[in-house]
């Protein structure tokens, strides 16, 4: 079983739909992240959680709503998205937030907004 | 503001050739410089990393060269193989990681 598991791997949704992305980490880490990966752009940090508390929110539109019920699970709730939100959404975890040296990524959820 | 600038955006190399990817940064508080490798359909994974007190680090066919005074570092892939075809991200960390835009490497057989 991989360290960080994301579901679904692929998602197609209309602009009026509501869907959620799920991430689970099996590494015993305390910090979890959502990144957006668009073609030819740097990885874009969206949210950071440490011990279920949101510690960073990088000016992400409110149509993206994160939820971290415990240190192993992270969700990204999606509603009324725009076509430009189509991207690969990556979840990652790290041991902690102080002096982050390595992020462990999931395989991503490929989102297409029609 | 992009904290780590990476080039080229893509490169094609023949099997057995050398792939070179360059990164530059401005923040002198960065003290850890990893490279991530991402295969299609997969998430990025740590490949190799260097600290600024070292000028070079080699792991197998992968070498990081680091120039502290120029605030630049690079990844060299020696004897490139088709299995090395992937996207490579440089990154820099002070207390959190900042990523470059990525370089797609294609190794032709």
């Amino acid at each position: 079983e991989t360290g960080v598991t994301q579901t679904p791997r692929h998602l197609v949704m209309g602009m009026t739909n509501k869907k959620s992305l799920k991430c689970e980490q099996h590494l015993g880490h305390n910090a979890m992240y959502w990144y957006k990966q668009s073609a030819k752009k740097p990885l874009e940090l969206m949210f950071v959680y440490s011990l279920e508390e949101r510690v960073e929110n990088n000016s992400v539109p409110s149509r993206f709503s994160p939820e971290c019920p415990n240190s192993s699970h992270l969700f990204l709730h999606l509603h009324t998205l725009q076509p430009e939100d189509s991207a690969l959404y990556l979840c990652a975890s790290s041991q902690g937030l102080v002096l982050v040296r390595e992020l462990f990524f999931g395989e991503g959820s490929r989102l297409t907004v029609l | 503001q992009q904290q780590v600038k990476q080039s080229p955006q893509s490169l094609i190399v023949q099997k057995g050739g050398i792939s070179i990817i360059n990164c530059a940064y401005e923040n002198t508080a960065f003290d850890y410089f990893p490279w991530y490798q991402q295969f299609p359909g997969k998430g990025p994974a740590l490949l190799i990393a260097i600290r600024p007190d070292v000028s070079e680090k080699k792991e197998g066919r992968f070498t990081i060269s680091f120039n502290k005074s120029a605030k630049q570092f690079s990844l060299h892939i020696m004897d490139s193989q088709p299995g090395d075809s992937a996207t490579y991200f440089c990154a820099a960390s002070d207390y959190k990681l900042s990523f470059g835009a990525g370089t797609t490497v294609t190794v032709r057989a």
Side-chain angles (χ1 to χ4, degrees), chain A residues 9 37 56 100 103 107, chain B residues 32 36 38 41-42 93 96:
Chain A
R9 293 294 313 279
Q37 185 174 25
E56 192 160 338
V100 177
L103 291 177
E107 296 189 329
Chain B
Y32 183 73
Y36 281 74
Q38 183 179 26
K42 302 290 186 182
S93 176
K96 65 177 182 180

Side-chain angles (χ1 to χ4, degrees), chain A residues 94-111:
Chain A
S94 64
Q95 275 192 314
L97 274 188
V98 178
L99 296 179
V100 177
R101 293 303 186 225
E102 184 173 1
L103 291 177
F104 292 79
F105 286 90
E107 296 189 329
S109 293
R110 172 71 62 186
L111 174 66

